[in-house]
Amino acid sequence: MVQIYEYVKMAFSNIKHNKVRSFLTMLGIIIGISSVILIVGIGNGAKNVITSQMSDIGEGQICVYSGDSTDTYYITNKDIEKIKKLDGIKAVSVQDGMQGKVQALKGDFDVNITCVMPDYKYFSNTGIKEGRFFNESEYNAGMPVCTIGEKDAISLFGTTNVVGMKIPVDVYGTNINFKIVGVEKAKSDSFISFDYGEKSVSIVVPETMIRKVYGVEIDNFYAVYILAQKDADTYEVANSVTKMLNNNHKVKADEDIYMVENFSDYMSIVNTVINIVTLIISLIAAISLFVGGIGVMNIMLVSVTERTREIGIRKSLGAKTKSIMLQFLAESVIITLLGGIIGIILGIACATGIASIVSAINPSLAFTPDVGVGAIFVAAAFSSIVGIFFGIYPAKKAAKLSPIEALRRN
Amino acid sequence: MSNLIEIRDMMKIYNPGENEVRALDGINLTVEHGEFVAIVGQSGSGKSTLMNMIGCLDIPTSGTYYLDGKNVEKLKDDQLSEIRNEEIGFIFQGFNLISNLTAIENVELPLIYRRVPAAKRSELSTAALIKVGLEHRMDHRPNQMSGGQQQRVAIARALAAAPPVILADEPTGNLDSKSSKEIMDILRELHSEGRTVILITHDDGIAATAERIIRIMDGKIESDTKAGEKTESDMRMGGQNE
Ligand SMILES: Nc1ncnc2c1ncn2[C@@H]1O[C@H](COP(=O)(O)OP(=O)(O)OP(=O)(O)O)[C@@H](O)[C@H]1O
Ligand SMILES: [Mg+2]
């Protein structure tokens, strides 16, 4: 133990006396580790943002629609009630559209009216800023209530404080005074967002409103939107829905009437892209680690070879091969350890710095760097192994020479 | 008790083949415990080569070497390190100081490998440096010292651990006559304490103070005289003078 302390002391004094050499060795390690952390951190951070924004938009969403315009194949309210009872289903809604016009203070606007069921609130990926979604009783009663997007509220009224206000919309000649019950949050903090034109706003209303407009009960829906529960397999859910619809509408076994659009399909495309990106990130990280490793190797090889004479002197004074090895081991461990710590700190600092610069420039691209212990560990382990191996291997070779031979090498 | 050194038919051949150099060419040598031996000879005659062999620093091409009854050829690397550390104090012709270390750190090196505790180490090293007159240069590095001062650090390093055998390759080569005398006094004192001292020198005056003079030429022992005896060449020269 006492001896170990001597070697560590020796190592520190040697590192101090060879500042440039020690620094260059550390630099290789610092560059290797910090670039891995930087690349992986930023890459994963961006990946996380894309994944979470994609899944915010539509994770678990399935659309089942009739591929045949024959009346008997339209989806009915009865179908929907049955779908709600199937396993793994969280929410079901239909979605129908109407067009209207409104005369507001700021001029005439087109109104996109989306007619949905109360479960719509589960599909909304932004959430409510003010007020609430329309409820079950308003839906059943077919009341003229609506929610409006934050931006559209501002377009129409110049404020988002609009709950309780009314929007008089002309829908195909019928005047309906929609009462605003809620304001949906804007999607602007997502870089995947859809925007309609300037002079158009969107409102979401109970689908039962349609009967107010047409004066007839509507029970024919072309499509139904289903939200699967978080842990449910969306493909299984879609299957059970189509099976049920086939049953209800007596579809023959060889006919394909009900079609499925599953958001998981889009997700898997995105995932493939993300995996390719991950692969490229890892490759770049591996290359920078390798380059750093070669730097460390070179300097270690040169510096130990330079010190063959010192090894000869120590040996001639009674150092054993093991003592020489321990001395060089202590030195390379200290250098790689210091370099590793600096590299990790520098890498994280750079990644965080870049992330905050990016979000300052463009908030919609904001992300948090995600390095992960794995990447740090692999980078640190690789650099340390390279540093330590090339720190002691040539030292061992030199220590095996007879002292005179070692003294003569130069 | 066996002889300290017994060398039989030792050869050291560099570059075997075309340009071969027989640095040692059939050396037979016996040194007893407690002797004071001077090795003399022309430059390139093989003195340092022989000294390196005696100090277990190099491996001969052929021949046998018994040190204190042990066959050196049969010893393992670690055992050789132990012998160099504990039995022998080696003063190199080229000093061989470590340039990163201060004088006292250099002197402490053999003591570190001997596992002497730090306090004792610095006490012994300080004493050795004082003995060679370097008490004012203990924290200087080799490149901050004159050749003679470096040589004295190398001597202090060999003395600090008080080994039973001192091998000194030209210890006074870089010193003025006063310092030379001081160093020789130290070596003689060590000898009078019962240590074996083997010394290489160019200086006939210094050689004459030894108990035994071995003259080497072209890797061979040309003469081996105890004090008081006269060599053939001495007698021849003496004859001419008369
Ligand atoms: N590594 C080597 N390779 C080849 N020849 C060598 C080597 N080392 C020594 N020699 C040769 O061996 C011979 C003896 O060298 P050595 O150093 O023993 O001489 P020396 O008697 O100590 O001389 P000096 O008085 O100049 O120190 C010389 O001729 C030298 O050239
Ligand atoms: Mg010599």
Side-chain angles (χ1 to χ4, degrees):
Chain A
M1 253 18 261
V2 179
Q3 288 302 103
I4 300 280
Y5 168 72
E6 293 296 341
Y7 296 128
V8 172
K9 224 171 70 181
M10 237 184 241
F12 268 116
S13 119
N14 263 316
I15 290 168
K16 228 172 61 194
H17 285 128
N18 298 289
K19 285 195 195 74
V20 175
R21 195 191 65 206
S22 310
F23 173 72
L24 285 176
T25 315
M26 271 191 237
L27 198 65
I29 292 169
I30 291 170
I31 289 172
I33 293 185
S34 60
S35 55
V36 167
I37 289 177
L38 183 66
I39 294 164
V40 173
I42 288 180
N44 281 348
K47 209 174 85 177
N48 291 347
V49 172
I50 295 171
T51 314
S52 85
Q53 289 195 354
M54 277 303 285
S55 54
D56 274 357
I57 286 171
E59 192 181 26
Q61 285 190 26
I62 306 157
C63 173
V64 179
Y65 60 96
S66 163
D68 191 310
S69 54
T70 318
D71 275 359
T72 53
Y73 294 132
Y74 276 132
I75 298 162
T76 65
N77 275 311
K78 235 168 89 190
D79 289 330
I80 290 168
E81 285 313 307
K82 283 190 179 170
I83 290 171
K84 278 183 179 169
K85 295 199 180 87
L86 288 174
D87 277 348
I89 285 181
K90 185 172 181 199
V92 181
S93 176
V94 296
Q95 191 164 331
D96 224 327
M98 296 192 291
Q99 288 292 321
K101 284 190 190 310
V102 62
Q103 286 182 313
L105 291 172
K106 299 190 175 179
D108 288 355
F109 283 84
D110 287 332
V111 184
N112 299 302
I113 306 168
T114 309
C115 311
V116 299
M117 292 177 160
D119 272 1
Y120 169 80
K121 61 173 177 276
Y122 298 113
F123 290 85
S124 160
N125 48 55
T126 52
I128 282 287
K129 186 181 164 74
E130 315 258 352
R132 57 174 173 79
F133 279 107
F134 61 80
N135 58 31
E136 204 81 29
S137 59
E138 285 162 336
Y139 171 79
N140 289 337
M143 283 169 66
V145 289
C146 74
T147 56
I148 186 167
E150 196 177 343
K151 275 187 175 169
D152 291 344
I154 291 172
S155 305
L156 285 181
F157 301 102
T159 170
T160 60
N161 195 9
V162 295
V163 174
M165 292 194 189
K166 299 210 165 159
I167 312 175
V169 186
D170 172 0
V171 190
Y172 309 133
T174 312
N175 267 312
I176 305 175
N177 228 0
F178 286 103
K179 184 182 156 201
I180 300 173
V181 294
V183 179
E184 283 186 69
K185 273 190 207 130
K187 295 173 186 168
S188 70
D189 54 354
S190 145
F191 57 80
I192 311 168
S193 66
F194 310 99
D195 246 327
Y196 294 102
E198 278 272 304
K199 284 291 182 188
S200 122
V201 295
S202 301
I203 59 174
V204 177
V205 308
E207 159 269 322
T208 44
M209 268 305 304
I210 300 172
R211 66 184 87 146
K212 287 261 154 147
V213 178
Y214 292 108
V216 288
E217 198 76 27
I218 306 284
D219 197 17
N220 296 329
F221 301 106
Y222 155 73
V224 61
Y225 293 84
I226 295 159
L227 186 65
Q229 279 166 4
K230 266 238 144 44
D231 48 355
D233 180 334
T234 53
Y235 293 97
E236 268 175 30
V237 169
N239 258 340
S240 62
V241 170
T242 49
K243 219 166 116 191
M244 205 210 67
L245 289 173
N246 284 340
N247 238 346
N248 287 0
H249 297 267
K250 306 195 167 53
V251 175
K252 294 195 196 85
D254 58 340
E255 276 183 317
D256 238 355
I257 303 293
Y258 296 104
M259 308 294 180
V260 175
E261 236 179 71
N262 193 328
F263 187 79
S264 300
D265 292 341
Y266 299 109
M267 272 312 270
S268 72
I269 292 170
V270 171
N271 278 332
T272 309
V273 173
I274 283 175
N275 286 340
I276 292 169
V277 173
T278 308
L279 194 75
I280 293 169
I281 291 170
S282 313
L283 212 68
I284 296 171
I287 290 170
S288 49
L289 201 55
F290 187 73
V291 170
I294 288 186
V296 173
M297 179 188 84
N298 279 339
I299 294 160
M300 277 296 189
L301 280 178
V302 169
S303 76
V304 178
T305 311
E306 244 176 26
R307 290 168 69 189
T308 304
R309 190 179 154 75
E310 177 191 332
I311 292 172
I313 295 174
R314 288 178 184 276
K315 247 201 126 201
S316 70
L317 298 175
K320 293 178 183 168
T321 302
K322 199 185 87 194
S323 318
I324 305 282
M325 302 277 294
L326 279 175
Q327 181 197 336
F328 280 83
L329 179 70
E331 271 185 48
S332 20
V333 167
I334 290 168
I335 288 181
T336 52
L337 209 67
L338 283 179
I341 290 169
I342 296 174
I344 290 170
I345 292 172
L346 195 73
I348 292 176
C350 285
T352 315
I354 289 178
S356 59
I357 289 171
V358 165
S359 56
I361 293 173
N362 186 349
S364 74
L365 294 178
F367 66 93
T368 359
D370 171 21
V371 185
V373 189
I376 294 181
F377 183 79
V378 169
F382 180 81
S383 313
S384 315
I385 289 169
V386 170
I388 291 170
F389 179 78
F390 289 101
I392 59 177
Y393 171 72
K396 182 175 180 168
K397 259 178 43 185
K400 289 239 156 121
L401 297 173
S402 82
I404 287 297
E405 242 181 294
L407 282 170
R408 256 190 224 117
R409 298 264 168 110
N410 230 332
Chain B
M1 203 160 93
S2 53
N3 289 323
L4 176 69
I5 292 165
E6 259 200 73
I7 289 174
R8 292 283 157 264
D9 301 320
M10 186 179 277
M11 308 275 283
K12 179 69 181 181
I13 301 172
Y14 290 110
N15 317 324
E18 291 266 314
N19 292 323
E20 78 172 25
V21 178
R22 292 177 170 240
L24 296 180
D25 191 2
I27 297 278
N28 286 291
L29 176 66
T30 305
V31 177
E32 286 166 28
H33 288 276
E35 279 196 79
F36 192 149
V37 184
I39 297 174
V40 296
Q42 284 174 348
S43 178
S45 56
K47 306 182 294 293
S48 295
T49 308
L50 177 60
M51 196 68 123
N52 294 340
M53 297 301 167
I54 296 173
C56 301
L57 295 171
D58 208 353
I59 298 151
T61 311
S62 68
T64 55
Y65 173 25
Y66 283 85
L67 177 66
D68 218 357
K70 288 167 287 206
N71 186 349
V72 170
E73 201 188 343
K74 297 264 156 61
L75 295 178
K76 297 212 172 62
D77 193 55
D78 281 356
Q79 291 171 306
L80 291 175
S81 289
E82 265 164 37
I83 289 175
R84 289 193 288 262
N85 187 224
E86 288 166 18
E87 309 291 328
I88 295 167
F90 204 107
I91 303 166
F92 290 94
Q93 188 171 18
F95 322 142
N96 283 341
L97 302 175
I98 295 180
S99 53
N100 283 337
L101 303 182
T102 61
I104 190 156
E105 285 170 337
N106 267 291
V107 176
E108 280 188 0
L109 275 180
L111 300 168
I112 290 178
Y113 293 118
R114 202 185 259 211
R115 293 163 189 259
V116 176
K120 183 83 183 157
R121 227 157 54 207
S122 100
E123 185 189 315
L124 289 173
S125 313
T126 309
L129 282 166
I130 290 172
K131 208 166 193 173
V132 297
L134 280 183
E135 55 271 42
H136 305 304
R137 292 286 180 276
M138 300 220 262
D139 295 319
H140 285 58
R141 272 179 237 299
N143 60 6
Q144 300 166 321
M145 285 186 280
S146 72
Q149 286 169 334
Q150 292 180 49
Q151 182 140 39
R152 282 186 277 162
V153 175
I155 293 165
R157 185 175 63 187
L159 305 186
V165 181
I166 307 276
L167 302 180
D169 193 347
E170 305 267 11
T172 58
N174 290 273
L175 301 181
D176 56 274
S177 57
K178 183 170 165 285
S179 308
S180 292
K181 194 181 164 302
E182 281 166 13
I183 296 303
M184 285 313 296
D185 286 342
I186 293 171
L187 291 179
R188 260 191 295 277
E189 187 191 321
L190 290 168
H191 171 238
S192 68
E193 286 168 8
R195 297 175 213 282
T196 312
V197 178
I198 301 176
L199 159 83
I200 293 175
T201 182
H202 274 127
D203 186 328
D204 283 339
I206 286 174
T209 65
E211 289 175 346
R212 178 180 170 191
I213 300 172
I214 294 168
R215 203 170 284 278
I216 293 193
M217 174 119 128
D218 294 335
K220 294 191 179 74
I221 293 184
E222 191 195 29
S223 71
D224 184 346
T225 16
K226 293 259 156 60
E229 290 178 18
K230 286 209 164 197
T231 62
E232 284 170 42
S233 58
D234 286 342
M235 289 197 289
R236 236 182 285 125
M237 279 198 275
Q240 277 170 0
N241 282 350
E242 276 172 5

